[in-house]
Amino acid sequence: MNATLPEQLDVLVVGAGFAGLAAVAKILAADPTADVTVIERASDVGGTWRDNTYPGCACDVPTSLYSFSFAPSPKWSHTFARQPELFDYLRSVVDRLDLNDRIVTNCELQSATWDEVNKRWSVQTSQGSASARVLVAATGALSTPKIPDVPGIDTFSGTVFHSATWNHEHDLTGERVAVIGTGASAVQFVPEIVDRAERLTVFQRTPAWVIPRLDRTIGRLERTLYERIPLAHRAVRGVIYGYREAYVTVLADNPWLLPAVKVFAKSNLKRQVKNPVKRAALTPDYAPGCKRLLLSNDWLPTLDRPDVDLVTSGLTSVTENGVVDASGRNHEVDTIIFATGFTPTEPPVSHLLRGNDGRTLAEHWGGSPQAHLGTTVAGFPNLFLMYGPNTNLGHSSIVYMLESQANYVVSALHAMKDRRIAAVEVNESAQRQHNSWVDSALDGTVWNAGGCSSWYLDANGRNSTMWPTYTFRFRNKTREFDVPNYRLVSDALDSDNEVVSA
């Protein structure tokens, strides 16, 4: 990855994780001569699978599905891949598809402003400026750690870090450790560090439903079969895709079936947690799936240990030598680890993008992200979002959604080329109609009506995160660029930026 940032280019992709690599791979597959460059703020590709290196970090979607359909790998060692394998996989995709010369690393986006006169994006980066006809924002929804502003945190004399920026140089052996948060990251790293620490104090705001992770080692014979008979691997992917899609039948279409899931999860909780006080504290009061179901075989037994304290009264402040809960008790600790997630409903990139009226994307959204098909936004011509609003899933692989969005971008580029179009901007009415449908479709789902408060809901209380139905329906909607829903501006060289009909 020794590319340099061109001053003028056709397509600029921001971010080299799953989203950005899906976009550039699909663009080049459709046109190997395409003028497309990727900028990445870090020194390597990989996105969240480069940054999250905490102990036990792994995927919670079967890896046969959580990988590119156009770049299958028969080498996975487990059905749920670990972080190092996923990171290596993404780097191997770059090599396999010969993308190195397209990626500019250590190049952070600082701002991007739509130039209405020239119909281009004026981009400022840490490596200089550039002008791009099309901008693809592929920075991800889970890229910036969220650390709560806790009173007294600056006075703490010990070590503090977020799980997404794990401090590997700090030895937890014999330490008293406070873990703030009990989400998808905590359930993975807490069991990994419990034997090293002298004592763990886990702060839980809301309990989560936990079911077993049906992980297994993939043997050499099976890997050889996949390598020699790729069709067998594709068949496994298809089966996994099918049964994961079936989850929607319960989570969205028939939530009256959720009590059966609750019975199973409660049985799992009763079997793994013998302490009745802790078991009661770990029992959610909302429907399974309202928050993401957590997959783990060792999280609950770890919390049941006598050397692990479970605090449910909330973190209120930090002192020089500890953390204080809502009851006023000071828990003396040596290290604080925040497992408090990210900012999916207000992605940092939204503060860097300015549309045709000079306002940022964040200002347009006003705390409630909305887009057409999760990809384009009225007022922001030639901008395509990857993993945009209402594209997250509670049941399947986001990689499938990202490939669908990448197909949509390619279709848009083809339409622009064929029609000699300088700029495309989604009509407000089309965007409004799509989001009205999304809101209506989400109304009866467990993500909206399950009785919990989750990170799926934005500052305005709207679910601007989840896709409400089956993923194949999203793929059908994004299969072709829906030209009639867009304002088209013809090529400046041909007709003085005339607005043309679809």
Side-chain angles (χ1 to χ4, degrees):
M1 286 165 279
N2 54 2
T4 57
L5 180 66
E7 292 184 3
Q8 299 281 330
L9 68 158
D10 191 49
V11 181
L12 179 64
V13 179
V14 183
F18 263 109
L21 294 181
V24 68
K26 290 285 187 177
I27 291 171
L28 290 173
D31 179 7
T33 65
D35 178 17
V36 54
T37 297
V38 184
I39 60 172
E40 167 56 53
R41 66 182 179 182
S43 60
D44 207 341
V45 302
T48 189
W49 297 109
R50 174 200 61 236
D51 296 338
N52 284 266
T53 60
Y54 59 79
C57 183
C59 187
D60 61 0
V61 174
T63 321
S64 292
L65 188 59
Y66 195 87
S67 50
F68 292 126
S69 63
F70 54 81
S73 172
K75 299 179 181 180
W76 303 114
S77 64
H78 291 79
T79 50
F80 292 84
R82 280 47 172 172
Q83 176 269 334
E85 280 189 293
L86 284 160
F87 183 28
D88 288 343
Y89 167 75
L90 289 171
R91 289 192 288 188
S92 75
V93 168
V94 171
D95 292 336
R96 188 192 313 189
L97 301 182
D98 195 23
L99 302 178
N100 284 284
D101 290 341
R102 304 277 185 170
I103 302 173
V104 184
T105 54
N106 297 308
C107 185
E108 183 172 6
L109 178 69
Q110 296 174 335
S111 69
T113 302
W114 176 250
D115 181 348
E116 183 66 22
V117 174
N118 296 305
K119 301 296 183 286
R120 297 179 68 83
W121 282 95
S122 178
V123 179
Q124 298 294 322
T125 78
S126 58
Q127 290 194 24
S129 60
S131 174
R133 184 173 67 102
V134 172
L135 186 65
V136 180
T139 53
L142 307 177
S143 59
T144 301
K146 179 179 66 176
I147 298 180
D149 185 15
V150 184
I153 190 68
D154 294 336
T155 68
F156 184 61
S157 60
T159 302
V160 180
F161 56 89
H162 192 283
S163 60
T165 54
W166 195 271
N167 185 348
H168 290 279
E169 296 182 357
H170 181 67
D171 187 3
L172 297 174
T173 302
E175 287 205 334
R176 299 161 300 176
V177 180
V179 176
I180 316 302
T182 55
S185 299
V187 301
Q188 293 184 345
F189 75 75
V190 166
E192 297 289 326
I193 68 173
V194 65
D195 287 330
R196 276 183 278 160
E198 175 186 313
R199 191 164 198 89
L200 283 183
T201 302
V202 178
F203 279 74
Q204 172 188 272
R205 185 176 60 180
T206 308
W209 289 109
V210 182
I211 59 177
R213 183 175 71 173
L214 303 179
D215 185 40
R216 64 179 178 83
T217 301
I218 301 176
R220 181 180 301 177
L221 181 61
E222 186 176 355
R223 294 197 300 270
T224 301
L225 172 67
Y226 295 153
E227 187 172 8
R228 295 183 179 179
I229 309 178
L231 182 61
H233 200 199
R234 288 198 295 271
V236 169
R237 180 185 177 95
V239 169
I240 293 172
Y241 173 78
Y243 89 73
R244 298 292 293 209
E245 284 297 281
Y247 287 17
V248 176
T249 304
V250 178
L251 297 173
D253 292 350
N254 299 284
W256 58 269
L257 293 171
L258 286 169
V261 180
K262 181 183 289 189
V263 169
F264 174 69
K266 274 193 170 183
S267 174
N268 182 57
L269 174 61
K270 185 176 181 179
R271 179 174 56 84
Q272 294 191 319
V273 179
K274 304 304 180 184
N275 184 313
V277 176
K278 286 185 176 180
R279 187 164 63 243
L282 290 166
T283 303
D285 61 0
Y286 56 85
C290 184
K291 293 175 181 286
R292 192 178 182 98
L293 286 168
L294 300 182
L295 308 183
S296 177
N297 302 322
D298 48 14
W299 166 248
L300 294 175
T302 297
L303 295 183
D304 198 36
R305 289 173 49 145
D307 56 349
V308 176
D309 295 321
L310 180 64
V311 179
T312 60
S313 57
L315 174 66
T316 59
S317 63
V318 176
T319 64
E320 182 180 357
N321 63 350
V323 288
V324 181
D325 64 30
S327 70
R329 180 186 174 188
N330 181 62
H331 304 262
E332 293 189 357
V333 297
D334 305 297
T335 294
I336 303 172
I337 304 175
F338 285 98
T340 43
F342 303 86
T343 57
T345 59
E346 192 172 347
V349 72
S350 66
H351 296 274
L352 306 179
L353 308 176
R354 292 189 179 273
N356 53 22
D357 65 357
R359 291 188 300 160
T360 66
L361 184 56
E363 289 170 335
H364 267 262
W365 281 343
S368 189
Q370 296 190 32
H372 177 61
L373 298 174
T375 310
T376 55
V377 181
F380 290 78
N382 291 10
L383 172 68
F384 298 91
L385 306 176
M386 301 289 289
Y387 205 170
N390 293 110
T391 59
N392 190 63
L393 303 173
H395 69 286
S396 189
S397 170
I398 190 61
V399 179
Y400 183 92
M401 300 289 278
L402 296 175
E403 287 194 38
S404 301
Q405 287 187 288
N407 290 337
Y408 188 72
V409 172
V410 170
S411 180
L413 294 176
H414 282 174
M416 294 173 72
K417 181 178 180 180
D418 292 344
R419 294 167 177 261
R420 302 185 70 82
I421 296 299
V424 295
E425 179 188 351
V426 68
N427 295 323
E428 287 190 20
S429 58
Q431 179 177 305
R432 189 164 49 249
Q433 182 178 6
H434 170 73
N435 283 279
S436 177
W437 171 81
V438 167
D439 291 343
S440 177
L442 281 168
D443 273 348
T445 68
V446 70
W447 305 301
N448 275 31
C452 73
S453 175
S454 72
W455 57 266
Y456 303 153
L457 306 180
D458 58 35
N460 296 334
R462 176 179 176 268
N463 189 334
S464 56
T465 304
M466 301 301 287
W467 174 247
T469 184
Y470 301 95
T471 61
F472 63 78
R473 291 184 177 171
F474 184 79
R475 177 151 295 186
N476 287 338
K477 287 177 177 288
T478 54
R479 195 172 299 279
E480 296 289 340
F481 185 62
D482 46 334
V483 173
N485 286 325
Y486 284 79
R487 172 180 176 267
L488 310 178
V489 179
S490 62
D491 194 305
L493 297 178
D494 291 333
S495 52
D496 195 26
N497 289 330
E498 177 186 2
V499 176
V500 298
S501 64

